[in-house]
Amino acid sequence: MIIRSINLETVCGITSVLPDNDKPEIAFAGKSNVGKSSLINALMNRKSYARISQTPGKTQTINFYNINEEMYLVDLPGYGYAKVSEKEKAQWGKLIERYLHGSSQLRAVFLLIDIRHEPSANDKMMYRWIVDQGFAPVIIATKLDKLKRSQIQKHVKMVREGLDLVPGTKIIPFSSVTKQGRDEIWEFVETEYLDRQEVE
């Protein structure tokens, strides 16, 4: 994917009306400190277009990035951050659910998991929830640069077993530092979701 233009077109909070877009949407979910903004910046080939915060839980909105006037990257609120009240967590959950149910253009959901650790209870819950909404999430295993090469397959297996993934679920190891995995993510998006759109 050659990035020619990016526009943060819509920002939706808890009470916002979701946009009725006419282009394919690819959504990204993950807990608050998993590196979602870093991934989105890497995909967009920008250093800090999506705001990266030292404070987890900062993304409290659904952000729609228009890419090349062809598609949207959709940044969903991070989950599982302890300092956020239960009421706020519930509101974010409802916002995400409203989006997953309400978007006619949503083609795929990518779930980000920290490759270094066993998936958390929140990770497992989010994965099952996305599957229950009718999606087959692709797993992006972030922070790949923190592992030695010899550890990668062991940790990929740990993520696969920890989430009890549906057989055939794709896992893409990714590093925002080295950009490893970036091209694979774009290739997968273009092949699976954008080319199909053009054929239809």
Side-chain angles (χ1 to χ4, degrees), residues 72-144:
Y72 291 93
L73 295 184
V74 182
D75 185 5
L76 300 176
Y79 59 82
Y81 186 50
K83 287 190 181 176
V84 175
S85 73
E86 290 303 318
K87 183 181 175 186
E88 278 183 287
K89 285 180 190 173
Q91 287 177 321
W92 293 355
K94 285 177 185 170
L95 176 62
I96 295 170
E97 187 171 14
R98 189 154 57 92
Y99 170 67
L100 292 182
H101 280 307
S103 171
S104 61
Q105 291 293 340
L106 181 57
R107 296 287 185 269
V109 181
F110 285 81
L111 177 61
L112 280 64
I113 302 291
D114 188 330
I115 196 170
R116 299 172 299 173
H117 308 300
E118 287 262 6
S120 68
N122 278 319
D123 289 329
K124 294 173 186 177
M125 189 167 63
M126 190 67 178
Y127 172 70
R128 292 309 326 166
W129 188 64
I130 294 169
V131 169
D132 289 345
Q133 305 305 311
F135 293 94
V138 176
I139 307 301
I140 299 179
T142 63
K143 306 186 189 279
L144 179 63

Side-chain angles (χ1 to χ4, degrees), residues 17-196:
V17 175
L18 292 167
D20 185 16
N21 291 323
D22 60 356
K23 300 174 185 67
E25 297 169 1
I26 307 295
F28 295 86
K31 65 184 176 190
S32 303
N33 56 351
V34 77
K36 198 151 43 65
S37 296
S38 297
L39 167 72
I40 289 171
N41 282 326
L43 290 174
M44 297 191 299
N45 238 1
R46 298 294 189 273
K47 280 190 176 168
S48 55
Y49 202 95
R51 284 168 296 177
I52 299 170
S53 172
Q54 297 307 309
T55 309
K58 208 70 176 170
T59 304
Q60 301 177 13
T61 52
I62 299 180
N63 300 332
F64 292 80
Y65 296 93
N66 185 328
I67 308 296
N68 296 344
E69 295 296 324
E70 291 175 16
M71 61 166 294
Y72 291 93
L73 295 184
V74 182
D75 185 5
L76 300 176
Y79 59 82
Y81 186 50
K83 287 190 181 176
V84 175
S85 73
E86 290 303 318
K87 183 181 175 186
E88 278 183 287
K89 285 180 190 173
Q91 287 177 321
W92 293 355
K94 285 177 185 170
L95 176 62
I96 295 170
E97 187 171 14
R98 189 154 57 92
Y99 170 67
L100 292 182
H101 280 307
S103 171
S104 61
Q105 291 293 340
L106 181 57
R107 296 287 185 269
V109 181
F110 285 81
L111 177 61
L112 280 64
I113 302 291
D114 188 330
I115 196 170
R116 299 172 299 173
H117 308 300
E118 287 262 6
S120 68
N122 278 319
D123 289 329
K124 294 173 186 177
M125 189 167 63
M126 190 67 178
Y127 172 70
R128 292 309 326 166
W129 188 64
I130 294 169
V131 169
D132 289 345
Q133 305 305 311
F135 293 94
V138 176
I139 307 301
I140 299 179
T142 63
K143 306 186 189 279
L144 179 63
D145 52 282
K146 307 288 188 188
L147 295 182
K148 294 175 183 170
R149 186 170 292 185
S150 60
Q151 298 175 302
I152 293 171
Q153 288 311 311
K154 176 187 166 190
H155 281 253
V156 166
K157 184 181 179 189
M158 180 178 76
V159 169
R160 186 177 295 280
E161 292 179 351
L163 291 175
D164 192 19
L165 294 181
V166 172
T169 299
K170 189 172 184 65
I171 298 179
I172 303 177
F174 172 79
S175 165
S176 62
V177 175
T178 67
K179 305 298 184 283
Q180 185 175 338
R182 176 187 184 274
D183 291 347
E184 189 179 350
I185 294 167
W186 268 130
E187 188 179 320
F188 189 76
V189 167
E190 290 180 282
T191 304
E192 292 293 318
Y193 306 114
L194 299 188
D195 290 355
R196 188 183 299 169

